[in-house]
């Protein structure tokens, strides 16, 4: 296919590159540079858009210029799983301990189950590929490991439908195996275990089964419900079985997508390409992405100039379950970001500008150093999600035991992961990925690695380290109490009886009262008791004595009370006046 530079197209059209680029930006294809290269099909899209723009600007003048109107931007697509549609390819991620064979497994599947377009043609990975098994497709995310997996989830995106946990049969369950399991558990996706390297003489698959069973994952053939498939990623043995199991689980999960439904597409990889501009790979989970669609992705946008599939082939559209590379964005969006469809470039620009402004503001009010209490003051959630790291297995067990003794009514303590070693980035991403819980990462006798520190700062995740176990448990207990918020008690300050009522235009009903005991205070809380029963609880809106506003009225005196938002007070009602006082939790 012949390639062209953008400036060459401009020359053909007889306009300066600058003018062409400007016109394309107005038509919703921002971010192009004169030196970028495009193929013949992309060039065609560019020519058409330019001519369309020319037609528009002679008819409508400079519409689309200047400040974008901040109107009618599309709402973010709903996150819920589509129930309708057709079965779509499941999206699978591969996780496990280092050197257990994740990369080899992904390579083997690619070699044996991806139908090659051209013999000898090397296709560059776009971050995901589709394998064909018994005439059906499985989409694999081909960056293995739980970091990518959880980074995405930390943005609230759930791209993976099924997780494959790779455990080497000669090594067994290791630290990162445990981490991976916790990450999969937190994501709530079904897990299939690939017991790898069974070709090795020292392989002991039963030991792996045993270790996993001890963790609560009993293999199916032992009467449990965890699917475990022995494989050799190197020789390919068992790989077909593994793929068939993935399809089986996909069927059980009833994974569907509706090509005509609302778009749900998530970025899994992105980079800036000097020749092609911003490139992002997304996986479409629902709906369809098409060439020329105008999209907003987080704080960037663009009109899709080209869609490229996992074999480097240009496609016109991408439906549910498909990984696809997008060209035409103004900038590089981060992994985990959602793609939203909009109708007009102006809507896209307005949405993006609004988001950029908000992001900037949020950065400006970067919080000063906070106390442990402050961190939790604003939290509305009643669950504390904790990752606990310790220097040794012994220390970890001790800390876990202590944490188990903490009980605070009304707050749950959820230890997402407990492991040995320094606090790392994936620990931060794990707590950040949990919704409706206050995140917290604690270390016992361990350090925080700098990347983890940065990730925590960016996301506002509190991280604390301790050398004394007692301090750790004390802080966690305090944090949990804080989540409950302060407690209030009612303190009675007085009582009044309603002698008369007046309905005043524009004000409402006013109760003429005599204060029987204590005092009545403006702004205080009030309970209306009728025949000993509480009929209303509210606040004293205004308090008058001889038509004068007063702050309080003492026992024995008469006054006029207006209860805020309440017009049904009656003669004979008793008004119980009280205040709410905070008691430290
Ligand atoms: P990753 O870190 O989990 O991605 O592991 P790799 O795929 O890089 O594999 C680590 C090493 O184990 C490499 O030297 C592989 O060749 C080897 N390996 C992976 N799978 C197998 C297998 O099934 N059998 C044998 N014998 N070696 C394997």
């Amino acid at each position: 296919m012949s390639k062209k530079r953008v400036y060459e197209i401009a020359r053909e059209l007889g306009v300066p590159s600058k003018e062409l680029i400007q016109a394309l930006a107005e038509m919703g294809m921002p971010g192009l540079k004169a030196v970028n290269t495009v193929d013949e099909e992309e060039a065609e899209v560019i020519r058409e858009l330019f001519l369309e723009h020319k037609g528009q600007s002679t008819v409508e003048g400079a519409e689309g210029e200047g400040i974008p109107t901040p109107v009618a931007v599309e709402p973010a697509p709903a996150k819920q799983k589509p129930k309708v549609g057709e079965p779509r390819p499941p999206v699978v991620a591969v996780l496990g301990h280092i050197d257990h064979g994740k990369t080899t497994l992904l390579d083997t599947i690619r070699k044996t189950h991806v139908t090659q377009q051209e013999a000898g043609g090397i296709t560059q990975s776009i971050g995901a590929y589709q394998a064909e098994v018994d005439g059906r497709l499985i989409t694999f995310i081909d960056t293995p490991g739980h970091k990518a997996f959880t980074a995405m989830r930390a943005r609230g995106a759930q791209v993976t439908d099924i997780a494959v946990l790779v455990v080497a049969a000669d090594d067994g369950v290791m630290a990162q195996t445990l981490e991976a399991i916790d990450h999969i558990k937190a994501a709530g996706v079904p897990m299939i275990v690939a017991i790898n390297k069974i070709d090795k003489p020292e392989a002991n698959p039963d030991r792996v089964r045993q270790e996993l069973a001890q963790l609560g994952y009993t293999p199916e053939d032992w009467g449990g419900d965890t699917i475990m498939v022995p494989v050799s990623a190197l020789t390919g043995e068992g790989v077909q079985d593994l793929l068939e199991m993935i399809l089986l689980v996909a069927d059980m999960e009833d994974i569907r997508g509706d090509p005509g439904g609302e778009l749900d597409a998530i970025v899994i990889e992105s980079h800036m390409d000097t020749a092609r501009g911003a490139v992002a790979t997304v996986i479409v989970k629902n709906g369809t992405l098409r060439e020329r669609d105008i999209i907003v992705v987080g704080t960037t946008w663009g009109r899709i100039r080209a869609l490229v599939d996992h074999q480097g082939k240009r496609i016109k559209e991408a439906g549910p379950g498909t990984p696809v590379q997008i060209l035409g964005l103004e900038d590089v969006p981060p992994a985990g970001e959602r793609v939203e469809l909009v109708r007009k470039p102006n809507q896209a620009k307005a949405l993006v500008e609004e988001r950029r402004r908000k992001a900037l503001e949020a950065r400006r009010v970067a919080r000063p150093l906070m106390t442990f209490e402050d961190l939790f003051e604003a939290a509305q959630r009643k669950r504390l999600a904790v990752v606990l790291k310790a220097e040794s297995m012994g220390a970890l067990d001790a800390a876990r035991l202590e944490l188990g003794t903490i009980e605070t009514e009304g707050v749950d303590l959820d230890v997402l992961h407990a492991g040995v070693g320094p606090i790392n980035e994936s620990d931060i991403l794990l707590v950040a990925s949990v919704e409706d819980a206050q995140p917290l990462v604690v270390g016992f006798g361990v350090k925080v690695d700098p990347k983890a520190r940065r990730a925590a700062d960016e996301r506002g995740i509190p991280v604390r380290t301790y050398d004394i176990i007692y301090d750790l448990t004390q802080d966690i207990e305090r944090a949990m109490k804080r989540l409950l918020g302060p407690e209030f008690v009612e303190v009675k300050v007085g009582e009044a009886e309603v002698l008369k009522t007046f309905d005043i235009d524009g004000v409402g009903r006013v109760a003429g009262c005599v204060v029987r005991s204590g005092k009545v205070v403006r702004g205080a809380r009030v309970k209306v008791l009728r025949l000993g029963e509480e009929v209303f609880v509210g606040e004293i809106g205004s308090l008058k004595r001889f038509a004068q506003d007063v702050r309080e009225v003492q026992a024995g005196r008469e006054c006029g009370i207006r209860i805020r938002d309440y017009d049904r007070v009656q003669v004979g009602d008793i008004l119980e006046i009280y205040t709410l006082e905070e008691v430290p939790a």
Side-chain angles (χ1 to χ4, degrees):
M1 217 183 292
S2 76
K3 300 254 183 206
K4 271 206 172 85
R5 299 269 185 192
V6 171
Y7 64 78
E8 292 173 298
I9 304 173
R11 202 181 298 149
E12 286 168 14
L13 290 165
V15 290
S17 310
K18 226 174 114 184
E19 196 179 316
L20 174 63
I21 288 166
Q22 170 77 24
L24 289 172
E26 275 166 29
M27 293 301 284
M29 194 180 281
L32 263 189
K33 297 202 174 58
V35 293
N36 289 157
T37 40
V38 296
D39 62 29
E40 192 38 54
E41 281 177 77
E42 290 174 65
E44 198 45 47
V45 172
I46 289 175
R47 275 184 217 109
E48 276 172 36
L49 279 179
F50 178 74
L51 294 175
E52 207 178 303
H53 178 265
K54 225 168 112 185
Q56 265 183 23
S57 44
T58 49
V59 178
E60 295 171 33
E63 205 266 336
E65 263 290 313
I67 306 153
T69 30
V71 287
V73 286
E74 312 263 297
K79 277 195 218 165
Q80 82 249 23
K81 258 192 191 167
K83 283 272 171 282
V84 287
E86 303 145 24
R88 64 157 169 82
V91 180
V92 178
V94 176
L95 290 81
H97 194 71
I98 186 162
D99 281 345
H100 277 197
K102 300 178 291 292
T103 313
T104 311
L105 180 64
L106 283 163
D107 285 348
T108 300
I109 297 171
R110 185 196 275 276
K111 272 188 216 122
T112 53
H113 289 81
V114 177
T115 35
Q116 224 57 50
Q117 280 306 116
E118 294 151 48
I122 302 163
T123 48
Q124 212 142 28
S125 167
I126 64 165
Y129 66 79
Q130 287 195 304
E132 199 183 315
V133 185
D134 307 335
R136 294 173 61 184
L137 293 171
I138 302 173
T139 300
F140 281 94
I141 297 178
D142 71 3
T143 32
H146 52 253
K147 217 184 106 189
F149 178 75
T150 309
M152 260 175 253
R153 293 214 322 114
R155 301 192 153 265
Q158 179 79 287
V159 77
T160 306
D161 298 308
I162 298 169
V164 169
L165 177 75
V166 176
V167 188
D170 59 338
D171 205 17
V173 170
M174 302 299 280
Q176 287 166 23
T177 315
L178 296 174
E179 260 183 49
I181 290 174
D182 286 340
H183 284 246
I184 295 168
K185 200 165 69 184
V189 294
M191 174 176 91
I192 296 174
V193 180
I195 303 179
N196 192 28
K197 305 199 186 184
I198 53 163
D199 59 290
K200 281 187 142 184
E202 62 271 38
N204 188 351
D206 267 349
R207 200 187 87 199
V208 175
R209 288 191 182 93
Q210 190 88 52
E211 288 169 339
L212 287 169
Q214 271 166 10
L215 293 168
Y217 299 93
T218 309
E220 276 192 312
D221 34 350
W222 292 5
D225 51 16
T226 306
I227 300 175
M228 300 191 189
V229 188
V231 301
S232 167
L234 204 64
T235 67
E237 188 187 344
V239 170
Q240 177 71 21
D241 295 340
L242 175 66
L243 296 172
E244 282 168 13
M245 281 302 168
I246 292 174
L247 287 176
L248 194 74
V249 172
D251 288 340
M252 285 183 331
E253 294 286 309
D254 196 25
I255 297 166
R256 287 167 183 276
D258 178 7
E262 189 171 23
L263 183 72
D264 182 9
I266 299 156
V267 176
I268 59 159
E269 195 272 352
S270 62
H271 64 274
M272 187 54 88
D273 186 309
T274 41
R276 301 187 297 166
V279 179
T281 299
V282 308
I283 291 186
V284 179
K285 298 198 77 179
N286 198 57
T288 302
L289 263 185
R290 297 185 176 81
E291 208 176 73
R292 284 165 151 261
D293 276 348
I294 298 172
I295 54 172
V296 171
V297 190
T299 54
T300 187
W301 71 288
R303 191 193 285 263
I304 298 176
R305 188 173 87 228
L307 290 170
V308 180
D309 77 1
H310 66 114
Q311 292 174 309
K313 199 168 59 166
R314 276 287 295 273
I315 50 175
K316 290 279 174 213
E317 55 178 50
T322 321
V324 68
Q325 221 173 30
I326 295 176
L327 308 190
L329 284 171
E330 187 186 26
D331 204 352
V332 182
E337 201 66 83
R338 276 165 193 286
V339 180
E340 295 160 70
L341 272 182
V342 291
R343 261 174 229 112
K344 294 226 162 70
N346 272 357
Q347 290 179 340
K349 277 192 253 182
L351 191 54
V352 162
E353 253 163 54
E354 172 72 11
R355 285 183 184 168
R356 286 185 185 160
R357 195 179 54 71
K358 282 209 181 123
L360 211 66
E361 253 167 39
R363 219 167 297 149
R364 227 177 274 140
V365 290
R367 76 194 96 205
L369 260 184
M370 280 191 162
T371 66
F372 204 69
E373 270 81 7
D374 290 342
L375 284 170
F376 297 103
E377 187 126 79
Q380 294 298 307
R381 294 154 296 198
K382 302 280 177 271
R383 184 156 80 99
L384 192 61
V386 176
V387 166
L388 166 71
K389 298 302 283 284
E391 60 192 328
S392 66
M393 211 55 213
L396 190 67
D397 285 342
R400 237 191 315 210
L401 207 65
E402 283 295 320
L403 285 190
T405 65
I406 300 177
E407 252 181 55
T408 298
E409 206 176 312
V411 183
D412 297 324
L413 175 62
D414 192 356
V415 181
L416 297 177
H417 173 64
V420 174
I423 293 171
N424 59 37
E425 196 182 358
S426 97
D427 296 329
I428 308 293
L429 296 177
L430 178 59
V431 285
S433 71
V434 176
E435 283 175 23
D436 353 293
Q438 170 62 45
L440 175 66
V441 179
V442 290
F444 178 39
V446 295
K447 293 216 161 29
V448 184
D449 89 32
K451 262 196 182 156
R453 176 68 68 198
R454 218 171 310 130
D457 288 347
E458 271 169 20
R459 294 177 170 79
I461 309 280
V463 176
R464 290 289 188 278
T465 53
Y466 304 87
D467 293 318
I468 299 167
I469 220 168
Y470 174 75
D471 291 344
L472 187 157
T473 49
Q474 273 252 307
D475 262 2
I476 291 206
E477 210 166 344
R478 271 163 57 202
M480 287 169 73
K481 291 228 171 93
R482 266 286 142 178
L483 290 184
L484 283 175
E487 251 184 72
F488 290 96
V489 288
E490 292 177 7
V491 179
K492 188 170 166 182
V493 294
E495 203 172 282
E497 187 183 337
V498 180
L499 303 177
K500 274 187 213 140
T501 61
F502 312 91
D503 290 312
I504 301 170
D505 277 351
V507 175
R509 183 170 293 184
V510 172
C513 301
V514 58
V515 182
R516 291 280 180 222
S517 66
K519 58 185 178 180
V520 176
V521 184
R522 189 175 62 212
R525 311 273 309 160
V526 57
K527 273 183 204 161
V528 180
L529 306 177
R530 189 167 300 154
L531 303 172
E533 266 192 50
E534 190 180 294
V535 293
F536 185 76
V537 178
E539 195 183 292
I540 295 181
S542 75
L543 180 62
K544 284 187 198 280
R545 211 170 132 65
F546 306 121
Q548 291 284 323
D549 279 309
V550 290
R551 225 180 59 78
E552 53 179 62
V553 178
Q554 300 292 334
R557 302 210 159 124
E558 294 194 348
C559 58
I561 295 175
R562 157 88 185 130
I563 301 171
R564 180 164 295 155
D565 303 324
Y566 187 60
D567 286 326
R568 291 204 297 272
V569 68
Q570 290 174 14
V571 172
D573 286 351
I574 300 294
L575 308 185
E576 211 175 272
I577 318 297
Y578 64 100
T579 56
L580 287 176
E581 268 161 43
E582 187 180 330
V583 285

